[in-house]
Amino acid sequence: MAQALVRFLAAQKVERDGREHRFFQGCFGIFGHGNVTGVGQALAEHPGRLTYYQARNEQGMVHAAAAFAKMRNRLAAFACTTSIGPGATNMLTGAAAATINRVPVLLLPGDLFASRRPDPVLQQLESPGRGELSVNDCFQPVSKYWDRIQRPEQLVPAALAAMRVLTSQAETGAVMLALPEDVQTEAFEYPAEFLEDRVWHVGRPLPDPAALDRAVTIIRTSKRPLLIAGGGVIYSEATDVLRRLVDATGIPVGETQAGKGSLLFDHPSAMGGIGATGTFAANRVAARADLVIGVGTRYSDFTTASKTAFQDAGVRFININVAEADAHKLGGLALIGDARATLEALAASLKGWAVAPEYRRLCMKLHEDWDKEVSRLYHLGHAGLPAQSEVLGAVNDLSGPRDVVVCAAGSIPGDLHKLWRTRDAKGYHVEYGYSTMGYEIAGGLGVKLADPSREVYVMVGDGSYLMMAQELVTSIQERLKLTVVLVDNQGFASIGGLSRSKGTAGFGTRYRYRSDGSLGDDSGQRDGKSLPVDLALNAQGLGAHVIRARNVEELRDALVEAKAIDQTVVIHVPADRYEGVPSYVSWWEVPVAEVSESGDVQKARKEHESEAARRRWLI
Ligand SMILES: Cc1ncc(C[n+]2csc(CCOP(=O)(O)OP(=O)(O)O)c2C)c(N)n1
Ligand SMILES: [Mg+2]
């Protein structure tokens, strides 16, 4: 059965806009008794069929696979094979992240013997009341399609269903085919047509014409429209038509994390990031907008500033999305369709219409003011340890326009959302749907695999690094060069700042000895006994070329030096954990205790209530 599965995967193709190519570009894997003699044997017998990549951690390989698919605009993917038990469950976080971000990944864990003869097999979690349960059932809520192949012939409908979901622009995410280890090795006479080349056509569906007409009328009567570009703009390769529409109409654009890069940073209508980690340009426009056109966005709380971003009493929403559930959000007019095709249709119907010149001028002024703010933060001249914004500025300055910055969790994603000057639609890769600590290096590997012609800059905090740095080894083994900028601020600066702002003094967020009598307190003092941990040495031990930078000048030198090195480089740079980038006219709802003995918490609760009063239903 596993041999047929590998043959089937190798024969799947995808076509969009007349361009056809293989869907599966390879298979990541870590072997154990649950897959080594099944899928492992099948991969080994015909190594040319599906290239095998050895990974270090199953979570890491799912992140790498997801990053690969994201970089390829979801038109190509990887499979991931694991053993049963811990090898399988290690993929859970990666699966959830892929599904949240709507990127295709095929998960192929081993599963318990279908025969149940050796029960309990090594690593079997027994459920006395449920004979058919295994740990792989944990994946059901995080998978867009889930199946267990109990008999070899079940592979036929299951594999086809898996492909339909993986290639669906509306439904894609993690797909699991759990493979009982004995069934993997069983023989079956599969029909020849199952193994033949098969092309999955990815279309560009258009919304209902009546809905389009309604949208055009609403847009033409709007005074202060704003377009929010989400990941769907980039996946659908709609950035050119978006720019043409914006040039013609003057509608300003705010970008979500996944949509950053939809309109390049220097376009006069680019308001930059929107929402909780947005710019003052985007957030001021949002606050007064009478129409919001959301394109390929799922309107997360970061985008809507926890439903406080839009304050105009009569604000309306038009949502362009391939996924029906997203198109109907915020009580919007649903335009269910492909982003590029729908924007083209809108652009044609809006010919001759534009926003008032004063509105266009106002937005251009905001754009210019924001760019000055970025320059200010890039060149703070902060005394002592570098400020994180200066670190970002150096990486932005010294990376090429086509290079890719990769990040996921901590304080860096929010700062990147505000400050990164994106010069290419695929130049910004931040996983902020699940904001998974540990995604960064593994994700960088997937990006590099997807496009080796670009330099990949992984920006990772010390906390994320400590969660998962292992795929550095894979990058070295596969000669996939990454430039990792490891920003060391001695702990969880983002959560420390959040905690302080909510009256809990940064409890438990800084690395320090317990014996100094102030466990985990991080209320702003720069002293404190740090731990004898050397992450640069750690990276060196994993085989990376390491450069230590103590300040911004040394960081700039290191970035220049790194370009000439053809293997993975880790640049270790310390940063001031208290010198953050401000938030700009925005809010993110994080609950605060309603009762507390602490005056700081009581004060934070009052602030919370006054901000929460600005929340809107938007239904
Ligand atoms: C797997 C996981 N666990 C916990 C969190 C919650 N969390 C978000 S940011 C953060 C701290 C990140 O620390 P670091 O990477 O050093 O970045 P910094 O905040 O210092 O910028 C934590 C614990 C998360 N996002 N992911
Ligand atoms: Mg940190």
Side-chain angles (χ1 to χ4, degrees):
M1 183 270 272
Q3 295 162 358
L5 173 60
V6 168
R7 249 182 95 175
F8 172 86
L9 297 180
Q12 303 310 300
K13 301 206 159 93
V14 148
E15 176 275 333
R16 186 167 79 179
D17 302 328
R19 290 194 297 273
E20 189 181 297
H21 53 77
R22 279 178 69 139
F23 185 65
F24 289 104
Q25 304 280 322
C27 180
F28 281 110
I30 294 181
F31 296 119
H33 69 92
N35 64 336
V36 68
T37 52
V39 175
Q41 187 277 334
L43 289 167
E45 193 162 335
H46 296 283
R49 233 170 227 165
L50 199 58
T51 309
Y52 165 70
Y53 294 83
Q54 184 184 14
R56 266 68 211 173
N57 174 298
E58 291 86 356
Q59 180 185 333
M61 75 190 187
V62 180
H63 289 328
F68 177 93
K70 180 175 161 117
M71 191 65 192
R72 291 284 185 90
N73 291 333
R74 318 191 294 189
L75 298 174
F78 263 69
C80 296
T81 170
T82 75
S83 190
I84 69 170
T89 49
N90 263 357
M91 293 199 291
L92 195 61
T93 297
T99 294
I100 284 207
N101 289 293
R102 287 120 191 245
V103 288
V105 179
L106 176 61
L107 310 176
L108 302 171
D111 209 325
L112 310 177
F113 279 76
S115 73
R116 312 236 181 114
R117 294 288 295 264
D119 280 13
V121 67
L122 174 70
Q123 300 169 321
Q124 174 167 351
L125 188 148
E126 292 172 90
S127 307
R130 290 280 302 275
E132 94 298 0
L133 267 192
S134 87
V135 292
N136 287 336
D137 289 271
C138 294
F139 285 83
Q140 292 194 25
V142 299
S143 299
K144 298 296 280 207
Y145 180 80
W146 188 96
D147 212 340
R148 180 180 281 129
I149 313 300
Q150 300 280 18
R151 296 163 57 112
E153 59 266 49
Q154 290 174 348
L155 180 65
V156 175
L160 292 169
M163 280 307 299
R164 178 188 64 75
V165 172
L166 287 166
T167 58
S168 158
Q169 299 303 287
E171 275 187 62
T172 195
V175 165
M176 172 165 279
L177 298 180
L179 308 173
E181 50 183 301
D182 50 350
V183 183
Q184 287 181 47
T185 63
E186 280 172 25
F188 183 74
E189 203 62 47
Y190 286 95
E193 59 265 41
F194 176 61
L195 302 172
E196 280 166 8
D197 282 9
R198 189 177 295 261
V199 183
W200 299 83
H201 297 282
V202 177
R204 294 193 174 277
L206 270 169
D208 171 51
L212 262 176
D213 285 348
R214 283 194 283 275
V216 170
T217 309
I218 294 172
I219 297 171
R220 281 179 177 275
T221 51
S222 70
K223 298 275 178 282
R224 296 176 305 280
L226 164 69
L227 191 146
I228 297 182
V233 173
I234 293 173
Y235 299 143
S236 141
E237 296 172 276
T239 52
D240 285 348
V241 58
L242 175 73
R243 195 189 58 248
R244 287 200 302 276
L245 176 73
V246 165
D247 284 340
T249 62
I251 300 175
V253 175
E255 294 172 326
T256 71
Q257 282 277 14
K260 195 165 157 83
S262 296
L263 192 63
L264 303 186
F265 90 97
D266 53 356
H267 191 284
S269 296
M271 302 292 101
I274 191 158
T277 52
T279 70
F280 61 63
N283 287 339
R284 280 190 196 149
V285 171
R288 298 197 56 232
D290 61 352
L291 172 64
V292 176
I293 306 167
V295 190
T297 173
R298 62 190 188 92
Y299 287 115
S300 78
D301 62 345
F302 266 77
T303 298
T304 66
S306 305
K307 309 249 166 90
T308 63
F310 314 108
Q311 290 294 329
D312 184 89
V315 62
R316 305 179 71 173
F317 293 83
I318 294 174
N319 303 323
I320 301 171
N321 211 300
V322 274
E324 195 174 340
D326 290 320
H328 283 280
K329 285 179 176 170
L330 308 187
L333 169 63
L335 296 184
I336 301 157
D338 169 68
R340 192 172 94 182
T342 308
L343 286 175
E344 272 163 3
L346 277 183
S349 305
L350 287 169
K351 269 222 169 78
W353 178 85
V355 301
E358 312 83 75
Y359 186 61
R360 200 191 274 247
R361 272 200 299 276
L362 171 89
C363 294
M364 282 170 70
K365 174 80 169 66
L366 282 169
H367 166 86
E368 283 161 19
D369 290 350
W370 175 255
D371 203 52
K372 286 186 197 131
E373 176 69 353
V374 174
S375 295
R376 181 183 76 80
L377 287 156
Y378 274 7
H379 306 285
L380 265 189
H382 182 60
L385 294 177
Q388 189 159 282
S389 65
E390 297 173 306
V391 172
L392 261 55
V395 179
N396 191 274
D397 267 3
L398 289 157
S399 55
R402 285 188 74 254
D403 296 345
V404 188
V405 67
V406 179
C407 193
S411 58
I412 307 174
D415 291 359
L416 285 172
H417 192 217
K418 290 171 200 159
L419 303 181
W420 190 259
R421 289 174 167 152
T422 315
R423 298 149 291 174
D424 182 278
K426 299 302 297 182
Y428 184 87
H429 183 119
V430 176
E431 187 282 288
Y432 213 65
Y434 210 42
S435 188
T436 319
M437 288 172 76
Y439 177 91
E440 297 85 350
I441 291 171
L445 178 74
V447 170
K448 186 72 181 176
L449 198 53
D451 190 348
S453 75
R454 302 179 194 239
E455 291 279 337
V456 175
Y457 289 87
V458 173
M459 302 218 50
V460 61
D462 46 70
S464 272
Y465 180 91
L466 279 172
M467 281 224 187
M468 212 165 55
Q470 303 90 311
E471 302 312 325
L472 278 178
V473 178
T474 311
S475 83
I476 289 155
Q477 177 169 336
E478 297 294 340
R479 298 183 198 288
L480 292 166
K481 180 198 170 185
L482 304 175
T483 302
V484 178
V485 180
L486 167 48
V487 183
D488 194 342
N489 55 23
Q490 301 277 306
F492 305 157
S494 52
I495 307 297
L498 178 63
S499 163
R500 283 195 300 281
S501 75
K502 304 295 178 192
T504 46
F507 177 78
T509 58
R510 186 174 177 192
Y511 308 153
R512 58 194 298 177
Y513 283 109
R514 190 179 272 270
S515 58
D516 66 8
S518 53
L519 167 65
D521 180 79
D522 185 18
S523 42
Q525 74 278 21
R526 283 167 167 77
D527 57 349
K529 197 159 182 258
S530 52
L531 305 183
V533 174
D534 188 337
L535 297 182
L537 208 53
N538 176 275
Q540 199 176 320
L542 294 178
H545 180 106
V546 171
I547 309 174
R548 292 175 192 263
R550 284 164 304 182
N551 51 45
V552 182
E553 290 69 46
E554 288 186 9
L555 172 62
R556 297 181 80 92
D557 292 345
L559 286 162
V560 171
E561 190 186 332
K563 285 187 200 202
I565 297 169
D566 65 359
Q567 63 142 315
T568 290
V569 180
V570 173
I571 302 173
H572 180 269
V573 60
D576 187 335
R577 65 186 275 120
Y578 303 111
E579 189 60 42
V581 176
S583 96
Y584 297 92
V585 278
S586 201
W587 185 60
W588 179 41
E589 179 167 0
V590 177
V592 180
E594 215 166 346
V595 288
S596 166
E597 288 165 13
S598 152
D600 289 344
V601 174
Q602 291 165 7
K603 189 165 154 271
R605 175 70 197 188
K606 282 217 170 67
E607 280 164 22
H608 174 83
E609 283 167 11
S610 90
E611 292 285 352
R614 297 172 55 243
R615 280 178 314 200
R616 306 203 43 198
W617 281 100
L618 304 175
I619 44 179

